[in-house]
């Protein structure tokens, strides 16, 4: 279904390219903007490969060229040129406060009525809205990587964000096929990243103490908690287990959990050695001899059947 609205996405990195694909596959015109030509070229190439996977998986009924025909790549720092003809702006630049504040000011100078959705994963909206002429038109929309596959977007509002901005944003995200939840009180990490932070802290402890290997840890999570969480949320699971049992187990286990406030020494050692994951060819696993694109294609292919099941379940 074609939409008359064109969405501007500023930032052609990993998140920007995924968000662009999401809208294009739902019939929206997309303008993907960056100040670097190679970033736009790389992003469009990656989107094309990702769309091909969706077509092959039966998740998109159009051709790759039809979807790609809705995405316009643009290299510019001129926000007046970038916003021309666009009905909504999504910011997906680096998590550098000064860079975001400067971008928002230039966007609002170009068109003060446009809603700006920021994909920040760490800043509150009150921080980002400071000094803006129209703080009521700024809202947080936190996507998850890979953005073209993960269904959820966390929506978070600053104190000045208007109800109209929230409603417009929610409707747009849902029209693009995303599931939204509202963060009712802004805290660092919002909802999901706070949960993941708690899990990461305990993962660090288990690895540092030699309780489990990275490989067995992945097997354990994918074969238990990850398997259940794909279709049952933690509150649903707790009801199944029994709240009395959950309270008893929590009382016993909580006392022995890690309360670390700094990253794991093992993790920091890997960072120091430059073992940064897929982008570096080595992290917890060895990816040498394979390109970043090949590794990502393999990992995305594992998620697509789950996305198909998720979308089918939403129809029930």
């Amino acid at each position: 279904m074609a939409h008359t609205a064109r969405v501007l996405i500023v930032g052609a990195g990993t998140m920007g390219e995924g968000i662009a694909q999401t809208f294009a596959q739902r019939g929206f015109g997309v303008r993907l903007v960056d100040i670097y030509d190679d970033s736009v070229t790389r992003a469009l190439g990656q989107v094309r490969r990702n769309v091909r996977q969706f077509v092959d998986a039966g998740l998109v009924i159009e051709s790759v060229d039809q979807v790609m025909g809705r995405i316009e790549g643009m290299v510019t720092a001129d926000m007046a040129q970038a916003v021309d003809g666009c009905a909504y702006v999504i910011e997906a630049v680096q998590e550098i406060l000064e860079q975001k504040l400067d971008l928002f000011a230039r966007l609002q100078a170009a068109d003060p009525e446009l809603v700006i959705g920021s994909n920040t994963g760490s800043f509150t909206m009150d921080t980002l809205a400071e000094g803006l002429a129209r703080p009521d038109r700024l809202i947080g929309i936190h996507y998850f990587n890979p953005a073209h596959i993960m269904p959820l977007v966390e929506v978070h509002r600053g104190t000045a964000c208007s109800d109209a901005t929230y409603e417009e944003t929610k409707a747009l995200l849902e029209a693009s096929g995303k599931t939204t939840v509202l963060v009712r009180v802004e805290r660092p990490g919002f909802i999901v990243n706070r949960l993941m932070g708690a899990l990461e802290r305990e993962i660090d402890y288990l690895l540092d103490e030699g309780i489990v290997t990275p490989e067995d840890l992945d097997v354990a999570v994918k074969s238990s908690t990850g398997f259940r969480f794909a279709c049952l949320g933690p509150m649903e699971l707790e009801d199944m287990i029994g709240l009395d049992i959950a309270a008893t187990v929590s009382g016993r286990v909580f006392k022995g959990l890690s309360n670390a406030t700094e990253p794991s020494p093992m993790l920091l050692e890997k960072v120091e050695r430059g073992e940064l994951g897929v982008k570096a060819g080595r992290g917890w696993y060895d990816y040498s001899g394979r390109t970043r694109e090949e590794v990502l294609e393999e990992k995305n292919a594992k998620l697509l059947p789950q996305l198909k099941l998720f979308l089918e379940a939403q129809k029930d």
Side-chain angles (χ1 to χ4, degrees):
M1 178 186 297
H3 292 268
T4 57
R6 179 185 289 272
V7 178
L8 169 63
I9 299 168
V10 183
T14 301
M15 298 305 290
E17 70 191 27
I19 297 168
Q21 178 180 344
T22 293
F23 279 99
Q25 287 180 171
R26 285 300 182 115
F28 287 87
V30 177
R31 179 174 293 149
L32 181 60
V33 169
D34 202 284
I35 59 174
Y36 299 110
D37 180 74
D38 58 345
S39 294
V40 173
T41 300
R42 184 209 56 78
L44 293 176
Q46 186 63 55
V47 173
R48 178 173 287 276
R49 287 187 289 272
N50 291 345
V51 173
R52 167 55 61 192
Q53 278 193 302
F54 270 63
V55 172
D56 292 345
L59 286 161
V60 171
I61 60 174
E62 295 180 304
S63 71
V64 175
D65 286 342
Q66 283 177 301
V67 175
M68 294 304 299
R70 299 193 185 101
I71 305 177
E72 172 195 3
M74 178 182 288
V75 181
T76 186
D78 181 354
M79 289 302 105
Q81 178 187 13
V83 304
D84 184 43
C86 294
Y88 196 97
V89 183
I90 296 176
E91 170 269 310
V93 301
Q94 290 181 312
E95 287 290 275
I96 300 172
L97 179 60
E98 294 75 15
Q99 184 175 340
K100 289 181 184 291
L101 294 177
D102 175 68
L103 174 62
F104 296 155
R106 288 187 289 124
L107 284 167
Q108 290 202 339
D111 188 341
E113 294 301 321
L114 276 179
V115 172
I116 303 171
S118 173
N119 183 49
T120 181
S122 60
F123 295 114
T124 65
M125 286 300 99
D126 283 341
T127 298
L128 294 180
E130 188 172 349
L132 278 184
R134 294 292 305 273
D136 59 307
R137 301 301 276 169
L138 180 69
I139 191 167
I141 50 172
H142 183 220
Y143 284 78
F144 294 86
N145 192 13
H148 64 295
I149 296 177
M150 299 295 284
L152 182 67
V153 179
E154 293 175 324
V155 180
H156 52 112
R157 306 173 56 171
T159 53
C161 179
S162 70
D163 290 341
T165 293
Y166 169 68
E167 293 298 338
E168 181 179 343
T169 299
K170 185 174 186 293
L172 181 76
L173 292 171
E174 291 176 354
S176 74
K178 293 301 185 183
T179 298
T180 64
V181 293
L182 176 63
V183 181
R184 296 183 178 275
V185 180
E186 283 199 307
R187 293 288 184 272
F190 313 132
I191 301 168
V192 176
N193 281 354
R194 290 186 71 87
L195 295 174
M196 290 306 300
L199 181 61
E200 176 65 30
R201 179 163 62 184
E202 200 57 35
I203 286 170
D204 287 352
Y205 176 81
L206 293 172
L207 293 175
D208 285 341
E209 293 295 313
I211 295 170
V212 66
T213 66
E215 295 80 7
D216 278 352
L217 180 65
D218 277 347
V219 170
V221 173
K222 289 189 290 186
S223 305
S224 61
T225 304
F227 184 89
R228 294 184 300 191
F229 279 177
C231 56
L232 294 172
M235 300 298 93
E236 292 175 301
L237 283 171
E238 202 161 88
D239 274 349
M240 286 178 59
I241 294 167
L243 302 190
D244 53 335
I245 296 173
T248 299
V249 173
S250 296
R252 291 174 183 163
V253 173
F254 282 5
K255 296 179 180 64
L257 294 179
S258 170
N259 60 1
T261 58
E262 298 296 332
S264 151
M266 187 183 296
L267 178 62
L268 292 176
E269 287 171 9
K270 282 192 166 290
V271 172
E272 182 68 24
R273 291 197 299 268
E275 298 176 5
L276 306 179
V278 174
K279 61 186 177 183
R282 180 184 291 273
W284 296 111
Y285 295 92
D286 185 359
Y287 305 100
S288 57
R290 306 168 65 194
T291 66
R292 172 182 179 273
E293 289 74 20
E294 289 172 338
V295 176
L296 292 180
E297 184 172 345
E298 177 187 291
K299 292 185 181 299
N300 288 345
K302 293 178 180 180
L303 289 170
L304 289 180
Q306 189 158 306
L307 176 60
K308 185 177 288 189
L309 289 172
F310 178 88
L311 294 175
E312 286 295 325
Q314 302 311 298
K315 298 176 182 177
D316 297 340

